[in-house]
């Protein structure tokens, strides 16, 4: 796609966009709004690649809007603040996650569950309250209301902290909500971007952590990240060995999976929380649920307050993502590698690679 420059006043912004369903990402220039009184302008330094970016660029969930600038794992530095901003100043390390507004602003949403309520404006592939399409963090700057900007603890490097804004909170929230902690047996299905953060947080919260991965190829990494046990789901014996074992299972898998088989691994009253969002419905048997009063639940990211709690917890425990930093020129290849489960464990785009004079990464 050639550069597109909208004839509107505002902040000239460089990024990468997909022009249509499944199209490769190519350079794209657009304008952000001039900051209003309550806005923060962020000079984006890094943006993580979430599997949700790929689902949406490929329109696997339906309803995608193009051109699409993906990216909701944004880490950067405040470059400007509006006159009424009180929480941030120039130079602060900040992040933006999956949404840039919610019904909280007009009182129609409850802050603690704002991400589930009508009125949420996602960071891209969505619209602001005034109808403006949102464009995400695969770009060099973003303008966001201060209430939706997160503070990144200064001891965390911005590149490895970027994935906390989605992968981090998506695992932290259900682990906290369903009481992961000492004495609890927790399993994480899928050791990808979300899964590896789940291992770190469940371990830090004091739970006994098991990884359920397709193979044992990442076992040493799993143990290093904090797992107490690691099993291959390609081995049928895993499902008999681990029957009735877990209080909580978090399922991060992006592809269709036999959920019934995994429900059988829960103890009585155990819960499997689905956070992975495959593009096809999953057939489910009743027996694995009724035999054990088990629950099947879902969870989506977290509120702004809980995301800040997660970032502060991460700062206190020195938790960041394991990343592979890439230039924009590699982004389409990176998408394919994520889909092939070939990522250790999150790709993060170095936004400086947008500069015309940027030296290519070796
Ligand atoms: N609910 C939310 O709020 C939320 C937020 C962010 C993302 N998501 C969704 O969560 C999913 C995971 O995102 P991610 O960024 O962590 O993706 P990811 O890095 O690709 O990780 C997914 C992992 O699932 C496993 N997997 C992939 N294909 C599989 C298959 N066919 N059968 C069994 N296991 C398979 C792989 O782990 P192993 O190699 O270890 O088996 C892979 O590493 C995506 O669907 C994404 O859209 C949801
Ligand atoms: Zn995400």
């Amino acid at each position: 796609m050639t550069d597109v420059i909208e004839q509107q006043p505002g902040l000239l912004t460089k990024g990468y966009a997909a022009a249509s369903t499944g199209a490769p990402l190519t350079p794209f220039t657009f304008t952000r709004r001039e900051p209003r009184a309550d806005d923060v302008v962020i000079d984006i330094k890094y943006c993580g690649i979430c599997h949700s970016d790929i689902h949406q660029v490929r329109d696997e969930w339906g309803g995608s809007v193009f051109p699409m600038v993906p990216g909701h794992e944004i880490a950067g530095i405040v470059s400007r603040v509006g006159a009424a901003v009180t929480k941030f100043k120039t130079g602060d390390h900040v992040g933006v996650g999956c949404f840039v507004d919610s019904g909280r602003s007009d009182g129609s949403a409850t802050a603690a569950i704002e991400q589930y309520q009508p009125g949420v404006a996602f960071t891209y592939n969505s619209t602001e309250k005034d109808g403006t399409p949102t464009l995400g963090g695969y770009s060099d700057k973003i303008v966001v209301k201060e209430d939706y900007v997160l503070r990144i603890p200064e001891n965390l490097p911005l590149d490895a902290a970027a994935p906390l804004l989605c992968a981090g909170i998506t695992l932290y929230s259900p682990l906290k909500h369903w009481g992961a902690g000492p004495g609890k047996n927790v399993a994480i299905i899928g050791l990808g971007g979300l899964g590896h953060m789940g291992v770190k947080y469940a371990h830090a919260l004091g739970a006994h952590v098991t990884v359920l991965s397709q193979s044992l190829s990442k076992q040493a990494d799993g143990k290093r990240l904090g797992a107490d046990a690691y099993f291959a789901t390609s081995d049928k014996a895993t499902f008999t060995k681990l029957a009735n074992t877990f209080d909580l299972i978090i399922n991060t898998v992006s592809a269709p999976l036999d959920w019934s088989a995994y429900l059988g691994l829960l103890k009585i009253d155990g819960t499997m929380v689905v956070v992975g969002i495959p593009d096809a419905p999953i057939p489910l048997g009743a027996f694995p649920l009724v035999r054990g009063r088990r629950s099947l639940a879902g969870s989506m990211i977290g509120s702004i307050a809980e995301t800040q709690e997660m970032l502060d917890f991460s700062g206190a425990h020195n938790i960041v993502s394991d990343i592979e930093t890439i230039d924009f020129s590699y982004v389409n290849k990176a998408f394919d590698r994520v889909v092939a489960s070939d990522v250790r464990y999150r790709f993060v785009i170095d936004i400086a690679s947008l500069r015309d004079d940027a030296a290519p990464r070796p």
Side-chain angles (χ1 to χ4, degrees):
M1 184 174 37
T2 51
D3 281 10
V4 174
I5 299 178
E6 292 183 7
Q7 303 303 309
Q8 288 171 6
L11 309 183
L12 193 66
T13 304
K14 288 166 92 178
Y16 264 58
S20 58
T21 303
L25 296 177
T26 52
F28 180 68
T29 304
F30 57 103
T31 51
R32 301 277 190 195
R33 68 171 179 260
E34 283 291 343
R36 300 172 187 141
D38 60 349
D39 275 338
V40 172
V41 184
I42 301 165
D43 185 5
I44 302 177
K45 298 295 182 192
Y46 298 97
C47 187
I49 296 180
C50 177
H51 205 123
S52 301
D53 300 344
I54 304 168
H55 287 307
Q56 291 176 90
V57 164
R58 298 182 179 177
D59 200 12
E60 292 170 349
W61 297 336
S64 285
V65 178
F66 298 92
M68 184 190 298
V69 177
H72 57 208
E73 293 186 338
I74 297 168
I77 296 178
V78 174
S79 63
R80 216 167 127 188
V81 293
V85 167
T86 57
K87 297 179 207 150
F88 299 99
K89 60 178 189 325
T90 305
D92 285 353
H93 286 194
V94 293
V96 178
C98 295
F99 60 100
V100 291
D101 206 341
S102 75
R104 170 160 55 99
S105 318
D106 57 22
S108 65
T110 307
I113 48 170
E114 61 191 322
Q115 74 274 25
Y116 299 114
Q117 295 184 285
V120 70
F122 293 102
T123 304
Y124 69 89
N125 198 22
S126 179
T127 48
E128 298 268 10
K129 282 199 188 317
D130 63 5
T132 314
T134 53
L135 298 167
Y138 292 12
S139 59
D140 63 4
K141 62 180 78 66
I142 191 165
V143 182
V144 180
K145 278 202 229 183
E146 70 165 332
D147 284 353
Y148 299 87
V149 176
L150 286 308
R151 184 172 297 284
I152 296 180
E154 293 284 332
N155 61 315
L156 302 182
L158 283 179
D159 51 359
L164 304 184
L165 276 301
C166 176
I169 185 59
T170 299
L171 271 290
Y172 180 87
S173 179
L175 287 167
K176 289 292 297 258
H177 185 78
W178 276 277
K184 291 291 167 93
N185 243 335
V186 173
I188 307 287
I189 314 177
L191 194 66
L194 266 56
H196 93 291
M197 293 312 306
V199 172
K200 291 186 186 207
Y201 288 125
H203 175 72
L205 290 166
H208 184 277
V209 191
T210 299
V211 173
L212 302 173
S213 181
Q214 293 169 93
S215 75
L216 295 180
S217 64
K218 295 180 272 190
Q219 185 171 22
D221 282 355
K223 296 279 176 73
R224 174 179 59 78
L225 296 167
D228 301 287
Y230 200 105
F231 290 89
T233 53
S234 54
D235 180 359
K236 290 286 161 264
T238 292
F239 291 88
T240 42
K241 246 185 260 169
L242 297 180
N244 309 306
T245 297
F246 301 107
D247 300 285
L248 177 64
I249 298 176
I250 314 268
N251 175 359
T252 76
V253 174
S254 47
L257 205 65
D258 179 5
W259 289 354
S260 299
Y262 289 87
L263 286 167
L265 307 186
L266 290 170
K267 291 178 181 169
I268 295 169
D269 281 335
T271 302
M272 179 162 87
V273 182
V274 173
V275 295
I277 312 175
D279 58 359
I282 310 281
L284 196 65
F287 271 116
L289 283 171
V290 300
R291 274 198 194 128
R293 202 165 57 185
R294 297 169 174 128
S295 301
L296 177 62
S299 182
M300 188 178 75
I301 48 173
S303 67
I304 292 295
E306 195 176 24
T307 305
Q308 190 60 61
E309 178 190 311
M310 173 277 305
L311 286 167
D312 295 342
F313 180 89
S314 303
H317 291 81
N318 261 310
I319 294 177
V320 287
S321 175
D322 285 30
I323 59 166
E324 190 176 329
T325 307
I326 62 164
D327 288 351
F328 266 107
S329 57
Y330 193 76
V331 74
N332 295 300
K333 181 84 191 304
F335 272 27
D336 291 338
R337 282 186 53 196
V338 171
V339 172
S341 303
D342 177 22
V343 52
R344 304 280 191 280
Y345 281 86
R346 201 55 143 186
F347 286 113
V348 170
I349 305 166
D350 181 354
I351 304 298
S353 64
L354 270 177
R355 286 202 326 254
D356 296 336
D357 62 346
R361 197 168 292 276

